[in-house]
Amino acid sequence: MDNITEAEHCCSTDSERKSHHSDKVKANLITRLNRIEGQIRGVKGLIEKDTYCDDVLNQIAAIQSALNGVGKLLLEGHMKSCVIERIQAGEHEVVEELLTTIQKLMK
């Protein structure tokens, strides 16, 4: 997994929270998501061609793994910057927010 420094990923704590990914991180995420988008289109094509179910399921597993990779990358950056910054600012509710997000990712 790519290492993300605080300078590369930072979330603001104002009312409109945003992440500020470096160009490198953003390009990496976009590349991964474009690849996943292509994989999804490929699965659609497999279904249209009546491809053997096990082959389609294996492709779906690969897509889920790729999505998990994107999620892990985002989670790492979020924890190393946004969460730390908000805790340092006294916003301890971020821990509950993070736990809820992790629960959703682990479903």
Side-chain angles (χ1 to χ4, degrees):
M1 183 176 301
D2 298 329
N3 291 327
I4 300 174
T5 65
E6 286 183 41
E8 290 179 312
H9 186 290
C10 175
C11 299
S12 66
T13 58
D14 59 12
S15 61
E16 185 183 338
R17 296 185 307 188
K18 292 183 178 181
S19 63
H20 302 282
H21 304 288
S22 70
D23 289 342
K24 179 181 175 183
V25 170
K26 191 181 291 189
N28 184 359
L29 291 169
I30 297 297
T31 298
R32 289 170 180 248
L33 291 169
N34 285 339
R35 188 175 307 123
I36 292 166
E37 185 178 26
Q39 288 176 299
I40 290 171
R41 281 192 305 271
V43 166
K44 181 180 175 188
L46 293 176
I47 290 172
E48 290 170 344
K49 295 175 189 172
D50 294 321
T51 302
Y52 184 61
C53 296
D54 192 59
D55 294 337
V56 176
L57 291 167
N58 282 318
Q59 289 302 310
I60 290 171
I63 293 167
Q64 287 173 328
S65 178
L67 275 173
N68 286 341
V70 170
K72 287 175 190 175
L73 185 60
L74 285 168
L75 182 60
E76 178 185 351
H78 183 57
M79 291 176 69
K80 286 182 175 179
S81 61
C82 306
V83 173
I84 289 171
E85 289 173 12
R86 289 185 61 197
I87 289 171
Q88 289 173 341
E91 299 177 42
H92 298 281
E93 66 275 6
V94 72
V95 174
E96 286 303 317
E97 177 185 281
L98 178 62
L99 291 172
T100 299
T101 299
I102 290 172
Q103 290 269 347
K104 291 175 184 176
L105 285 171
M106 295 180 80
K107 281 187 175 181

